[in-house]
Amino acid sequence: MLTADIPPNQTIYIKNLNEKVKKEELRRSLYCLFSQYGRILDVVALKTQKLRGQAWVCFSEVTAASNAVRQMQGFPFYDKPMRIQYAKTKSDCLVEAEGVYDPNAKKKKKQEEKAERKRRVEEAQQSATANGSTADNNRGPTSFRPGSGGGEHETIPPNNILFIQNLPHGTTSMMLHVLFQQYPGFKEVRMVEAKPGIAFVEFDDDVQSSMAMQALQGFKITPQNPMAISFAKK
C-alpha cells in the first residue's frame, strides 16, 4: 500500500499524471475533482523536468485528505490512473515546489498566488457578467433561476441529459468529464462555445443522471461559481 509508512496528514501527493496537460488546466481540474472531499488550501503542480507528472493537494482537514486518498486511488484522470499517497510531511507541497528553503522563491510564489487569485476573481466577475444576473442568483440546490426559473425546472421531466449553468470562465470539457465520470452511466460532455458558462452532460438513462445531479448540485468549481444543474429540455 502506498501510504503504509507515511502518517496521514492534510497534504496528498499525486503521481502518474498526464504530462501533456497544461499546468493551469491541471491545477483547476485537480481542484475541481478533490474539492468535493473538503476545503482545499492549495494545489501545486509544476512543469519542471523533476516534478512533471506530479502534484500536491493541501486540504484544511486530515479527514478530507484521507477520504481523497481512499476513494480516488487509481481514478482515471486524463486517461491515466492516479497514484495517491500522503505527502511525506505537511509542508511537502511547498518544500518540493520551491526546491530548497529559498526565501526569495517563497516570496515569489506568494506574489504569483496573489496574482492568480486576483485573476480568478476577475474571470469569475467577467463570467458572471457574460451569463447575466441569472447565474449570479444561483445559490442553492433548487435555485436555478430567479422568478419563473424554478417553475420552469419543475415542468421539465427527468431525462438522461443534464443542463449545467454558472460554470466559471476557463472551464473545459475535460474538467467536467473528470467530475461527472465518477457517476455510473456517464457518456459525454458537450460544451457550447457560443455561450460560455453552460454545458450539457449525457448519461445512459434518467436514473443515472438524477444521481449525478443530486450529488453535484451546487458544487463549486470556484468559490464564486456553484453549479446549477437541471434536466435539459428535449
Side-chain angles (χ1 to χ4, degrees):
M1 182 177 177
L2 290 172
T3 59
D5 57 347
I6 303 175
N9 63 82
Q10 291 130 297
T11 302
I12 62 173
Y13 166 61
I14 309 164
K15 61 182 180 179
N16 197 43
L17 297 173
N18 193 322
E19 297 179 8
K20 295 180 181 179
V21 182
K22 293 182 179 180
K23 181 180 77 172
E24 200 52 46
E25 181 179 346
L26 181 64
R27 287 187 63 196
R28 290 183 181 183
S29 296
L30 287 170
Y31 180 91
C32 179
L33 182 64
F34 283 100
S35 59
Q36 60 189 308
Y37 296 104
R39 187 164 69 91
I40 291 177
L41 301 179
D42 195 14
V43 176
V44 176
L46 301 180
K47 299 296 284 186
T48 61
Q49 187 64 36
K50 181 182 177 182
L51 299 176
R52 288 168 69 180
Q54 305 169 63
W56 289 260
V57 177
C58 307
F59 290 93
S60 62
E61 302 289 340
V62 176
T63 52
S66 298
N67 287 334
V69 169
R70 183 174 65 253
Q71 297 184 37
M72 298 307 295
Q73 191 68 259
F75 182 80
F77 186 72
Y78 288 93
D79 300 322
K80 295 187 70 176
M82 290 191 293
R83 304 300 180 211
I84 310 173
Q85 64 185 63
Y86 295 109
K88 292 179 182 177
T89 70
K90 292 183 181 181
S91 59
D92 260 12
C93 61
L94 298 178
V95 175
E96 291 289 342
E98 292 163 9
V100 295
Y101 295 99
D102 182 351
N104 293 328
K106 190 170 185 178
K107 182 179 179 181
K108 182 179 179 182
K109 184 176 187 299
K110 287 184 177 180
Q111 291 173 341
E112 291 175 349
E113 289 174 343
K114 183 177 180 180
E116 173 64 15
R117 285 195 295 269
K118 182 179 179 182
R119 186 180 67 79
R120 288 181 180 177
V121 170
E122 291 173 349
E123 286 181 351
Q125 291 173 344
Q126 291 172 359
S127 176
T129 301
N131 293 333
S133 59
T134 295
D136 284 339
N137 285 281
N138 287 321
R139 286 293 180 269
T142 58
S143 247
F144 300 103
R145 296 176 183 170
S148 62
E152 184 177 333
H153 171 257
E154 291 171 5
T155 61
I156 302 174
N159 62 76
N160 65 318
I161 299 177
L162 299 178
F163 177 46
I164 319 298
Q165 299 178 82
N166 200 32
L167 296 171
H169 177 74
T171 300
T172 65
S173 59
M174 183 54 72
M175 289 169 65
L176 294 177
H177 183 102
V178 166
L179 194 59
F180 280 91
Q181 74 170 347
Q182 305 171 80
Y183 301 96
F186 169 80
K187 293 184 70 175
E188 66 174 348
V189 171
R190 295 194 294 274
M191 304 289 288
V192 182
E193 292 185 10
K195 295 183 178 180
I198 68 173
F200 295 90
V201 180
E202 183 176 353
F203 285 82
D204 285 334
D205 58 45
D206 60 337
V207 174
Q208 293 168 330
S209 64
S210 297
M211 290 174 59
M213 178 194 289
Q214 292 173 7
L216 293 174
Q217 188 68 264
F219 179 83
K220 295 181 179 180
I221 292 181
T222 68
Q224 299 83 13
N225 293 81
M227 288 195 302
I229 309 176
S230 59
F231 292 111
K233 293 180 181 180
K234 285 196 170 183

